Amino acid sequence: ETLKSVNNNEVASILDVGCGSGRYCVEYLKMGKQVVGIDMASKMLELAQKACREAVPDGKINFIFGDYMKHQFNEQFDAAVLMGLFDYIKDPESLIKKLQTDVKGIVLGSFPKSGNLLNHIRKLRYFFKNCPLYFYSKTQLEGIFHSAGIKEYTISETDREYYVRLKV
């Protein structure tokens, strides 16, 4: 769904927040997109750089090691993608508000569902690793988007997560 949403002429630049190992970045580069990936895990960025270099050696990509909430961009992006990131975000509303300054088109993201047995087992595993996880209901997401000033959005769901498309 994410790849279909950005594979058009309206999206030339993509910000991948929490880009991880770069799996999505590789696909954006194959589409000819200009990409910026940001992540707080240096080892993941090393994997992403290697994967992108190997798959699309002449791709237009820049990786940033750092905290998205603290980074200031000198440009706006046509789209932002945040897959598997909101699991770790204590204050999603602030993040969405910042995205509205950095993006001039769409934001695509996944939010893990509350009330799902597998997610609760995962939360317990991460608790012992001292890593809090955050889960969401559809009502919570609607409240977050409303509070952040998002007027246009869609929420679709699978058994374990919500997939959102925000118009910013």
Side-chain angles (χ1 to χ4, degrees):
E1 191 61 35
T2 300
L3 298 177
K4 285 192 294 188
S5 292
V6 300
N7 194 11
N8 60 64
N9 292 333
E10 294 174 13
V11 177
S13 61
I14 300 173
L15 172 62
D16 190 339
V17 181
C19 65
S21 64
R23 288 183 10 201
Y24 279 95
C25 294
V26 166
E27 297 305 317
Y28 306 144
L29 292 173
K30 287 178 181 177
M31 293 177 194
K33 308 298 181 184
Q34 181 178 340
V35 182
V36 171
I38 185 168
D39 204 297
M40 294 174 54
S42 62
K43 296 291 184 195
M44 295 304 274
L45 285 175
E46 288 174 18
L47 293 172
Q49 288 171 331
K50 182 177 187 277
C52 290
R53 240 187 345 265
E54 289 175 359
V56 188
D58 58 344
K60 297 177 184 172
I61 189 157
N62 182 33
F63 288 105
I64 299 167
F65 171 60
D67 182 343
Y68 169 71
M69 293 300 290
K70 295 178 182 173
H71 190 81
Q72 298 300 314
F73 292 94
N74 295 323
E75 62 185 304
Q76 279 192 309
F77 301 89
D78 298 321
V81 178
L82 301 93
M83 300 305 294
L85 180 77
F86 285 102
D87 308 46
Y88 309 100
I89 303 300
K90 185 176 183 175
D91 181 9
E93 185 179 328
S94 294
L95 194 150
I96 291 168
K97 286 180 179 177
K98 179 169 175 14
L99 285 165
Q100 291 177 80
T101 65
D102 295 331
V103 180
K104 59 184 174 185
I106 59 171
V107 173
L108 307 167
S110 63
F111 290 80
K113 288 172 87 172
S114 58
N116 176 282
L117 179 61
L118 293 176
N119 284 346
H120 285 291
I121 292 169
R122 182 173 166 239
K123 189 170 191 167
L124 185 61
R125 280 194 347 253
Y126 277 62
F127 172 80
F128 290 110
K129 295 178 182 183
N130 200 27
C131 179
L133 292 178
Y134 302 94
F135 299 133
Y136 304 87
S137 70
K138 187 174 182 180
T139 303
Q140 283 176 302
L141 292 178
E142 291 168 340
I144 290 166
F145 302 153
H146 178 77
S147 293
I150 302 291
K151 293 179 177 47
E152 283 186 59
Y153 61 86
T154 59
I155 302 172
S156 53
E157 62 182 285
T158 66
D159 60 332
R160 293 182 67 177
E161 68 183 6
Y162 295 102
Y163 180 79
V164 303
R165 178 187 177 109
L166 312 175
K167 177 76 175 127
V168 293

CSV table of all heavy atoms in Angstrom, one decimal, residues 4 34 53 99 132 139:
chain,number,residue,atom,x,y,z
A,4,LYS,N,2.5,1.8,-3.5
A,4,LYS,CA,1.5,2.2,-4.4
A,4,LYS,C,1.2,3.7,-4.2
A,4,LYS,O,1.0,4.5,-5.1
A,4,LYS,CB,0.2,1.4,-4.3
A,4,LYS,CG,0.3,0.0,-4.9
A,4,LYS,CD,-1.1,-0.6,-5.0
A,4,LYS,CE,-1.7,-0.9,-3.7
A,4,LYS,NZ,-2.9,-1.7,-3.7
A,34,GLN,N,13.7,10.9,-4.8
A,34,GLN,CA,14.8,11.5,-4.0
A,34,GLN,C,14.4,11.2,-2.5
A,34,GLN,O,13.2,11.4,-2.1
A,34,GLN,CB,14.8,13.0,-4.2
A,34,GLN,CG,15.9,13.6,-3.4
A,34,GLN,CD,16.0,15.2,-3.6
A,34,GLN,OE1,15.5,15.6,-4.6
A,34,GLN,NE2,16.6,15.9,-2.7
A,53,ARG,N,23.1,1.3,-1.8
A,53,ARG,CA,24.3,1.4,-2.7
A,53,ARG,C,24.3,0.2,-3.6
A,53,ARG,O,24.6,0.3,-4.8
A,53,ARG,CB,25.6,1.4,-1.9
A,53,ARG,CG,26.4,2.6,-2.1
A,53,ARG,CD,27.8,2.6,-1.4
A,53,ARG,NE,28.0,1.6,-0.4
A,53,ARG,CZ,27.9,1.8,0.9
A,53,ARG,NH1,27.5,3.0,1.4
A,53,ARG,NH2,28.2,0.8,1.8
A,99,LEU,N,5.7,16.8,11.5
A,99,LEU,CA,5.6,16.3,10.2
A,99,LEU,C,4.9,17.4,9.3
A,99,LEU,O,5.2,17.5,8.1
A,99,LEU,CB,4.9,15.0,10.1
A,99,LEU,CG,5.7,13.8,10.5
A,99,LEU,CD1,4.7,12.6,10.8
A,99,LEU,CD2,6.7,13.4,9.5
A,132,PRO,N,9.7,0.5,26.3
A,132,PRO,CA,8.3,0.6,26.3
A,132,PRO,C,7.7,0.6,24.8
A,132,PRO,O,8.4,1.1,23.9
A,132,PRO,CB,8.0,1.9,26.9
A,132,PRO,CG,9.3,2.7,26.8
A,132,PRO,CD,10.4,1.7,26.7
A,139,THR,N,-10.2,4.9,17.9
A,139,THR,CA,-10.7,6.1,18.5
A,139,THR,C,-9.5,7.0,19.0
A,139,THR,O,-9.5,8.2,18.8
A,139,THR,CB,-11.6,5.8,19.7
A,139,THR,OG1,-12.7,5.0,19.2
A,139,THR,CG2,-12.1,7.0,20.4
